[in-house]
Every structure is written in C-alpha cells, then in structure tokens.
Amino acid sequence: FEDDWVLLANHADKTLIRNAVAFEISRLLGFEFSPSARFVDVYLNNVFMGNYMVSDQVERGNNRVVIDKLDTLDTTHPTITGGYLLEIDGFADREPVWFTTGQSMKVTVKYPKDDDINPVQLSYIRNFTNSFENTLFSANFKDPDIGYRNFVDTTSLINWYIACELTGNPDAFWSTYIYKRRDLNKFFFGPLWDFDIAFNNDYRIGDASNAMMRDRAFEPKAWIKRMWEDEWFRRAVNRRWTELLNDNIQEKLLAYINSTTALIDASQQKNFARWPVLSTRVYHEQFLFPTYGQGVNFLKNYIQNRI
C-alpha cells in the first residue's frame, strides 16, 4: 500500500483527459508501471472546486517503480549499484540534487531522496549516466555488444520513444523518467508522466499533427537524435509500431476516450461552470473550442491522424 497520491487539475487541458489517455497508452504498450487515473469532484469546505484526476506519485515502491531500496550507508558494491530513479529534467537546476552530463542533459535524482542520498551514491549514478552517454556518442555506438544498447533495456526504450511520438509530447525529452536496478547496468525508460500539453495542445511548437517530436519537441534532444542515427533503433521502432497497429491500438484508444468522457460528462459540465475557461487560453493551448465536445473530437481526430 502506498500513501502518496497526486491530485491533478488538468487546467491547461480542456478535455481533462490527456494525461489519462497517455497512461492508457502506457498500459497498452506494456510499461512495468503505469500511473493510475481516476476522476473525482473536489469540494473544499463544501464548495465545489472542480474536476481533478487522482494519480500515483512517481516514486520507488510496491506497485510503482520497483527498484531496490538504497540506505544512506550503502556505499559499496553491490548495493551501491541500485536502485536509482532519475528524471531528465529541464528544471533540474531548481532541485536539491541534480547534475549535468557532458551533452548538457540536466538530470534530477528522484530516488534516493534528497535527504537520504550520500555523495558516494551521487557520484556513482552520475558516472554511470555519463558512461552511458559517452558510449552513445562514441564511434562504436551502434555496436550491439559494446554500444549504447548494452546500457539500456531496449524494450522500454522503444516503447517510450513510440509513446513520445504518438502523443506528440513537446516535453517528451525535456522531462523523462529513467531508472536503474541493482546489479544490472542498464537504464529502463519510464514511467510515462506529464502529458497535459501533448496531443497538439501547445502553440509554441506549432501544429504538431505531422511533426516528429525528435525534431520539434523542446530541447534537450541530444540522446534521441543520436539514437535515431542507428538503423537498428529505427527498425525496432518500426517493428513495434507495426505490432501495435495490428493490435488495434487506435480502436482501443478511441474506445477509452469515449468511455472516459461519458464517465465524467456531468463532472466536466460542473467544472466549466465553476471555471468558465473553455474559450480562454490559460497556458499554451494550441486551439480553443467553445464546447467541451468539440475539444474531445479534436483530440480523437488528432489521434486518428497521428496514427
């Protein structure tokens, strides 16, 4: 049982469900941990505050990111090798424990927690991250035995990249979770998080319907651009994408959207009566719609066209 939960307002997403759809994509792609999505009406002192989404905190724990527990005194092998939860994070320099790689990727250490991590552990995970990155940018980076594939769980890597592109998430490479297990010198990619400006909901990158996020998303994109130079990576993405198409991912996503919007229909009406912002830009919305249904139809059409 975990006791840390998140209440998301989804204020910048007028459909209220973009994060939930992304988490459904996570489940369909088979990530080890996919955050939950449950919608609630929030009242404060008997005053209706709006529609919110309850989700899991992204953290180490049972039924969350399952990695070994690290104690502050763990400074030798094998315990020092894991587990670690990191976030490639454009805002890392605002966090207590973070570092920058040689390719200027800012990385926040999410686990061990700020008060628990010791300098030896920080040095270990920083050096491991830089070893991965140095290999990725080496002359032999494509080599299946000594190249970057030796440092990653390729299943999660390919699924993560497809999720980044399918959702058209401009924050895809600016905000990415990765984790490392004990006694395993590989990064796992995920869990998925933070999709309220995905699905063509950010005017700063223009119409994203036909744009690849490896070209259009916010920097830093050094890692994914380098991976895309590898023929194996491109073929693996294509194979996995073909599997998902054959497994009717489009029909499953549209069915999920229909059932979820039907579930929250009364709630969304109350929400936009409380917060009449459907036709108002409150963040970086690409398009505005006078009705909730038109916004949902836009989301469904985007997914169909994107696929």
Side-chain angles (χ1 to χ4, degrees):
F1 177 77
E2 300 299 334
D3 58 4
D4 293 333
W5 304 89
V6 178
L7 270 178
L8 292 175
N10 289 313
H11 190 50
D13 169 22
K14 306 298 175 50
T15 73
L16 306 173
I17 65 168
R18 278 175 165 85
N19 275 309
V21 173
F23 297 163
E24 181 68 10
I25 289 172
S26 176
R27 283 184 284 276
L28 292 174
L29 266 62
F31 279 82
E32 289 187 338
F33 165 60
S34 298
S36 57
R38 297 291 185 272
F39 292 92
V40 295
D41 290 342
V42 173
Y43 288 81
L44 182 62
N45 297 329
N46 295 319
V47 177
F48 176 68
M49 300 304 293
N51 172 283
Y52 282 71
M53 191 181 90
V54 181
S55 187
D56 299 277
Q57 181 74 271
V58 177
E59 61 182 359
R60 190 204 77 85
N62 296 326
N63 299 316
R64 293 194 176 167
V65 181
V66 182
I67 51 178
D68 291 282
K69 185 177 182 180
L70 259 179
D71 292 323
T72 303
L73 298 179
D74 290 334
T75 58
T76 58
H77 282 71
T79 53
I80 197 173
T81 64
Y84 295 92
L85 174 63
L86 309 178
E87 183 182 6
I88 312 304
D89 180 9
F91 294 129
D93 53 5
R94 305 179 186 182
E95 298 293 331
V97 182
W98 68 286
F99 59 89
T100 305
T101 71
Q103 294 290 329
S104 300
M105 304 287 279
K106 295 179 181 179
V107 182
T108 300
V109 180
K110 308 297 285 189
Y111 182 85
K113 295 183 178 180
D114 307 338
D115 297 336
D116 297 329
I117 192 168
N118 67 53
V120 180
Q121 293 166 349
L122 177 59
S123 177
Y124 172 85
I125 195 59
R126 182 176 60 236
N127 291 338
F128 181 83
T129 304
N130 278 310
S131 294
F132 158 70
E133 186 182 79
N134 291 339
T135 303
L136 179 60
F137 286 88
S138 69
N140 297 320
F141 79 106
K142 299 179 185 179
D143 189 289
D145 298 316
I146 64 173
Y148 74 99
R149 274 187 269 169
N150 195 45
F151 282 87
V152 297
D153 171 71
T154 54
T155 297
S156 63
L157 170 64
I158 297 303
N159 284 329
W160 164 79
Y161 175 65
I162 286 175
C164 294
E165 293 292 5
L166 174 57
T167 59
N169 187 9
D171 279 339
F173 315 115
W174 163 279
S175 177
T176 290
Y177 281 106
I178 56 177
Y179 55 97
K180 183 188 179 300
R181 293 204 164 101
R182 181 172 296 168
D183 274 343
L184 187 59
N185 289 329
K186 292 181 183 294
F187 275 135
F188 289 73
F189 281 70
L192 300 185
W193 187 259
D194 192 11
F195 289 82
D196 58 332
I197 62 172
F199 302 97
N200 216 1
N201 194 36
D202 190 335
Y203 70 82
R204 294 172 296 177
I205 65 168
D207 188 346
S209 298
N210 299 305
M212 303 308 294
M213 292 301 103
R214 64 176 181 271
D215 300 320
R216 189 78 67 83
F218 300 127
E219 298 292 346
K221 300 194 291 286
W223 287 6
I224 196 63
K225 281 182 169 293
R226 183 63 164 171
M227 291 173 184
W228 195 252
E229 295 177 21
D230 182 9
E231 296 85 356
W232 171 86
F233 183 83
R234 299 198 300 267
R235 288 195 299 269
V237 168
N238 180 263
R239 283 196 303 271
R240 181 62 176 132
W241 181 236
T242 301
E243 289 177 1
L244 293 167
L245 291 177
N246 291 337
D247 199 34
N248 300 315
I249 188 171
Q250 176 172 300
E251 291 80 359
K252 291 177 179 178
L253 288 177
L254 295 179
Y256 177 80
I257 292 173
N258 288 337
S259 63
T260 304
T261 52
L263 177 70
I264 68 169
D265 185 57
S267 180
Q268 67 83 11
Q269 292 181 49
K270 289 171 57 179
N271 182 83
F272 291 113
R274 175 69 173 83
W275 307 104
V277 295
L278 276 175
S279 299
T280 303
R281 178 171 287 126
V282 299
Y283 189 54
H284 299 300
E285 298 95 311
Q286 173 82 268
F287 303 103
L288 299 173
F289 302 95
T291 69
Y292 177 78
Q294 286 174 294
V296 171
N297 285 335
F298 172 84
L299 174 61
K300 291 196 288 189
N301 289 334
Y302 168 82
I303 288 174
Q304 290 174 293
N305 293 333
R306 188 71 172 163
I307 288 174

